[in-house]
Amino acid sequence: MWYKRCIENYFPNEAYEEAKMNTSNITETGVDRDYLKISEKIAGYSKDKLPSLTSKMSRKKYESGLKHFYVNGEDLSELQLFLLKLVRII
């Protein structure tokens, strides 16, 4: 289960700013940010601009905004759990 509304909500403000988008209308963190409709708050953003958000993202940046869970005594992020589910399917 993904905990945020849309994939856009997983990217930090920094990713939008590097793609030349204004983030002054949105907060960096919090539950409000998790369920925000980014396309309504950032002028000029649409799904076709998603690749531009990833250009300078590192694993650390991806992981910083994710929910973490303890599974069998190990800290795992949403992304790690998702990848483990994919491996099970394959």
Side-chain angles (χ1 to χ4, degrees):
M1 173 179 189
W2 292 106
Y3 287 87
K4 300 178 190 242
R5 176 180 276 254
C6 299
I7 194 155
E8 296 90 44
N9 297 67
Y10 284 94
F11 292 94
N13 285 4
E14 181 181 333
Y16 290 98
E17 290 161 3
E18 288 182 14
K20 309 290 188 253
M21 295 179 216
N22 184 355
T23 61
S24 62
N25 290 337
I26 60 174
T27 180
E28 182 71 39
T29 59
V31 175
D32 292 338
R33 168 60 183 260
D34 290 349
Y35 299 100
L36 190 68
K37 290 187 179 182
I38 298 283
S39 59
E40 293 176 3
K41 295 291 183 178
I42 297 181
Y45 177 76
S46 60
K47 290 270 187 196
D48 63 332
K49 299 207 174 159
L50 192 59
S52 66
L53 298 179
T54 64
S55 65
K56 294 191 179 179
M57 289 288 290
S58 64
R59 179 178 176 189
K60 185 177 179 181
K61 286 182 185 176
Y62 279 113
E63 292 280 334
S64 68
L66 299 179
K67 189 168 177 76
H68 286 254
F69 304 91
Y70 280 95
V71 179
N72 297 327
E74 190 174 347
D75 179 40
L76 298 174
S77 71
E78 286 178 81
L79 185 57
Q80 289 170 310
L81 290 170
F82 175 71
L83 292 173
L84 287 171
K85 287 179 184 180
L86 284 178
V87 168
R88 286 184 192 163
I89 292 170
I90 297 170

